[in-house]
Amino acid sequence: MFAKPQQEHQWLDQLVGQWKFEHNCEMPDGTKSTASGTMNCRSLGGMWLICESSGESPEGEWSAVMTLGFDPAQSRFVGTFVGSMMANIWPYDGVLDASAKRLPLNSEGPKFDGSGMGKYRDIIEIVDTNTWLLTSELQSDEGDWQRFMVAKHTRV
């Protein structure tokens, strides 16, 4: 039997479309960079959001794919992120906040300094029908969340 889209799947539909973006990064070591590009987000049968992005940064051209869906059995959003600039896959797991405007997505991956694995969080925040933000944070060894990237997406 085919799964049926839930209310949470419909929430993801807000991101369907063509977007341009600007990323501003400040890494823990103080290094700053910017990137710009485009993103195309489409629905896969109303169950999955597939977002393909590409852009340019001072380090060169890059591309990435983000998948997002909702698992009713777990009552959680799930997904992945992969990019041409890295060798690992980032698994996503999260719950929509009470405002229904922010979706924090938890993940784990290599620490920037190469000292093992760390906890990360990407937060999708709906500003309005034509704008959304993606904020990336990492958890310090002390447990504090530190923002290192903000990307503003504007509908084309």
Side-chain angles (χ1 to χ4, degrees):
M1 180 185 326
F2 279 35
K4 302 286 184 213
Q6 307 291 308
Q7 179 179 347
E8 292 83 358
H9 294 103
Q10 293 168 3
W11 187 90
L12 292 171
D13 286 344
Q14 298 175 91
L15 302 178
V16 171
Q18 299 280 339
W19 305 89
K20 63 181 179 177
F21 61 80
E22 295 287 331
H23 287 193
N24 292 303
C25 297
E26 184 172 351
M27 303 309 277
D29 66 3
T31 305
K32 294 181 182 181
S33 67
T34 60
S36 61
T38 60
M39 178 182 278
N40 177 37
C41 296
R42 62 186 171 87
S43 176
L44 188 63
M47 298 298 294
W48 291 95
L49 180 71
I50 311 294
C51 297
E52 298 179 77
S53 58
S54 61
E56 292 187 32
S57 70
E59 293 81 24
E61 293 183 13
W62 58 269
S63 58
V65 176
M66 177 173 62
T67 65
L68 290 173
F70 181 77
D71 184 341
Q74 298 180 52
S75 293
R76 300 186 72 78
F77 286 87
V78 294
T80 58
F81 179 87
V82 293
S84 63
M85 67 299 263
M86 55 190 71
N88 60 297
I89 188 169
W90 297 86
Y92 280 144
D93 172 75
V95 176
L96 195 61
D97 79 356
S99 74
K101 295 281 186 189
R102 292 171 34 101
L103 176 59
L105 297 163
N106 301 308
S107 193
E108 290 190 13
K111 289 184 177 181
F112 292 126
D113 65 6
S115 66
M117 297 294 279
K119 293 182 187 266
Y120 293 83
R121 179 168 62 195
D122 282 349
I123 302 165
I124 294 172
E125 181 177 353
I126 304 299
V127 176
D128 58 42
T129 57
N130 294 313
T131 312
W132 61 281
L133 304 175
L134 177 66
T135 304
S136 294
E137 301 175 334
L138 63 95
Q139 192 172 42
S140 70
D141 292 336
E142 294 76 33
D144 299 323
W145 287 99
Q146 301 171 340
R147 180 186 312 176
F148 65 89
M149 193 271 305
V150 176
K152 181 179 181 181
H153 296 73
T154 306
R155 192 177 300 276
V156 176

